[in-house]
Amino acid sequence: MFVPIERKKVSSQVLDQLKKMIKEKTFPPESRLPSEHELSKMFGVSRAPIREALSVLSASGLIESRQGGGSYVKRVNLVGMLDPMTFEMVEADQVLELIEMRIIIESQAASLAALRCAVRMKN
């Protein structure tokens, strides 16, 4: 059985590669990304798809552009995990820690709500 060949935009391929490099810590948090010119040489593409990929990374909160200073990889916070792109950048142990925290908070909140309900029913 054959798998159909995907036709992907060049910028999507660049985006996928950059996300992978950020996730694998080729570009760790707080590090400066190569310039658009350097990235275009690295990937063998023009600067237009590089700009488009960087724009998507910036809009999703994975990088930040600094005026005259280039683009830097942002540290991913658990708070920003609702965005699917940032969620895939979070380590598995951080997700487990978040789940543990939610179990503690939610069970205490449920207990407090039940207690308050019981008090109101008595009054």
Side-chain angles (χ1 to χ4, degrees):
M1 179 186 251
F2 292 98
V3 177
I5 303 298
E6 275 187 57
R7 291 185 184 263
K8 289 179 80 172
K9 289 175 57 174
V10 174
S11 61
S12 293
Q13 293 177 56
V14 170
L15 176 64
D16 291 343
Q17 286 295 316
L18 286 172
K19 285 191 321 188
K20 182 179 178 189
M21 293 169 100
I22 292 170
K23 185 173 184 176
E24 292 174 350
K25 308 262 190 285
T26 303
F27 301 124
E30 312 299 327
S31 69
R32 185 179 186 276
L33 291 177
S35 68
E36 287 180 8
H37 180 71
E38 292 168 324
L39 288 171
S40 68
K41 278 185 174 178
M42 209 166 96
F43 290 112
V45 299
S46 71
R47 289 172 65 179
I50 300 294
R51 269 190 228 106
E52 195 173 326
L54 291 176
S55 175
V56 172
L57 289 173
S58 180
S60 64
L62 289 179
I63 65 168
E64 68 177 340
S65 295
R66 298 180 187 163
Q67 183 99 21
S71 298
Y72 289 80
V73 178
K74 290 176 71 176
R75 191 167 300 281
V76 176
N77 297 326
L78 291 175
V79 173
M81 281 183 28
L82 296 178
D83 181 6
M85 187 178 295
T86 48
F87 184 75
E88 70 184 55
M89 305 308 286
V90 176
E91 302 292 326
D93 57 335
Q94 287 181 310
V95 175
L96 292 174
E97 290 171 5
L98 177 64
I99 291 170
E100 289 173 347
M101 182 186 70
R102 285 189 61 187
I103 289 170
I104 293 166
I105 291 172
E106 290 173 8
S107 62
Q108 289 297 316
S111 173
L112 184 58
L115 221 93
R116 287 181 178 168
C117 182
V119 168
R120 285 186 189 136
M121 292 179 97
K122 284 184 179 180
N123 292 335

